[in-house]
Amino acid sequence: MAAWNLFRKEVKSILPLYGIFAVAVLLMHLIVLFKSAVIDMDVTMVLALMMPYLFLAAIALGTGYYQLYTEWKSNSIYLLLSLPIRGWKVLTVKLAAVMTLLILSCVWIAASYAILLLRTQWGELTVSEDWSSIMPNLLTIAGNFFWMGLLTLLLLLILVQFTYLCGQLVAKFKWIVMLIAFLGILWLVLRISPLLAALLAWMPEMGIGGQASSDVVFLHSGAIIGISLLCVGLTALNGFIFEKEVEV
């Protein structure tokens, strides 16, 4: 129950930011729709899909920092430390809140694009391609890239939490310590990831593609499992720092 209440609090605290972003995406799509007669299809894709998703990723990473920053600034960190749940659970709940709104925002961008813009371009697209045959493959590829992107963002959010917590370990030069901590942990992750992938090379490969008759790109699942293990390990480390080492 304490974890659920904390999750609700975290969602409520960051929901206005994602609400503003959702409105901004809708307005951008309406502007692009109004100018669709003079904008190329490639430019439309960049403005309506690529840019919103890039901004959303930046917002998610900024939110991960903001969550911890506000706890210390408002002194509500004392309340968190008094909750009957472990530190890693507190941090995991914060991650879950960000990831939940991130996924909902991704769905919102795709839905807004499909409803407002895709229907206006569908005639041109169907003339140039037979979408009935390639659509299953495209959906499969998009789905795989979606969850891999979420996993990457999750790892980066955990690194942001680690960076901020390291900054709280010192009284002076917090930003220098945070910069060193982020670069150091990022370097360590990049060094460890290939080693974990090599150790897990015996794991089965994952196919990124649709039908067996089409070209399928195979990825080693060991790399994905390695990143997942790093997420778990770093979350546990962040929980230890949060509980035992940080002076509030």
Side-chain angles (χ1 to χ4, degrees), residues 65 68 72 91 158-186 234 237-242 245-247:
Y65 177 89
L68 292 176
W72 263 266
L91 297 176
I158 295 172
L159 295 183
V160 168
Q161 286 185 342
F162 174 81
T163 300
Y164 186 84
L165 291 172
C166 286
Q168 301 309 306
L169 294 173
V170 296
K172 297 181 179 180
F173 308 110
K174 291 181 181 293
W175 282 102
I176 296 177
V177 172
M178 289 169 61
L179 179 61
I180 294 174
F182 179 78
L183 295 177
I185 194 64
L186 183 61
L234 287 172
L237 176 61
N238 289 346
F240 174 78
I241 298 174
F242 182 78
E245 301 298 332
V246 174
E247 295 182 1

Side-chain angles (χ1 to χ4, degrees), residues 24-248:
V25 168
L26 180 61
L27 292 176
M28 175 179 286
H29 286 176
L30 289 174
I31 293 173
V32 173
L33 177 63
F34 180 73
K35 296 290 186 178
S36 59
V38 295
I39 299 179
D40 294 335
M41 187 181 300
D42 293 339
V43 177
T44 299
M45 293 285 290
V46 171
L47 292 176
L49 283 180
M50 293 182 62
M51 286 184 58
Y53 280 120
L54 289 175
F55 273 109
L56 179 59
I59 289 173
L61 294 177
T63 303
Y65 177 89
Y66 171 80
Q67 285 177 314
L68 292 176
Y69 172 77
T70 53
E71 298 290 0
W72 263 266
K73 186 176 181 180
S74 63
N75 288 327
S76 59
I77 187 66
Y78 295 103
L79 176 61
L80 285 182
L81 292 173
S82 66
L83 291 176
I85 54 178
R86 298 292 302 276
W88 67 267
K89 289 185 179 180
V90 172
L91 297 176
T92 301
V93 168
K94 290 180 176 292
L95 291 173
V98 176
M99 296 301 292
T100 298
L101 292 180
L102 175 65
I103 294 173
L104 292 176
S105 299
C106 287
V107 174
W108 171 261
I109 294 172
S112 177
Y113 175 80
I115 295 173
L116 295 177
L117 297 173
L118 185 59
R119 61 182 180 83
T120 63
Q121 302 171 342
W122 190 250
E124 183 179 350
L125 291 173
T126 52
V127 171
S128 59
E129 295 286 350
D130 181 14
W131 290 92
S132 61
S133 60
I134 65 176
M135 184 61 72
N137 289 347
L138 287 178
L139 291 177
T140 304
I141 293 172
N144 281 289
F145 276 109
F146 178 70
W147 71 258
M148 286 190 290
L150 289 180
L151 181 61
T152 302
L153 276 175
L154 177 61
L155 177 60
L156 290 175
L157 281 169
I158 295 172
L159 295 183
V160 168
Q161 286 185 342
F162 174 81
T163 300
Y164 186 84
L165 291 172
C166 286
Q168 301 309 306
L169 294 173
V170 296
K172 297 181 179 180
F173 308 110
K174 291 181 181 293
W175 282 102
I176 296 177
V177 172
M178 289 169 61
L179 179 61
I180 294 174
F182 179 78
L183 295 177
I185 194 64
L186 183 61
W187 176 84
L188 186 62
V189 167
L190 294 176
R191 295 288 293 179
I192 292 178
S193 296
L195 297 177
L196 289 176
L199 291 175
L200 297 171
W202 54 274
M203 298 293 293
E205 293 182 330
M206 301 186 323
I208 305 298
Q211 302 171 355
S213 59
S214 64
D215 294 332
V216 180
V217 178
F218 290 96
L219 298 177
H220 290 292
S221 60
I224 306 300
I225 297 173
I227 294 176
S228 301
L229 292 175
L230 285 173
C231 288
V232 173
L234 287 172
T235 300
L237 176 61
N238 289 346
F240 174 78
I241 298 174
F242 182 78
E243 278 186 341
K244 304 296 183 183
E245 301 298 332
V246 174
E247 295 182 1
V248 294

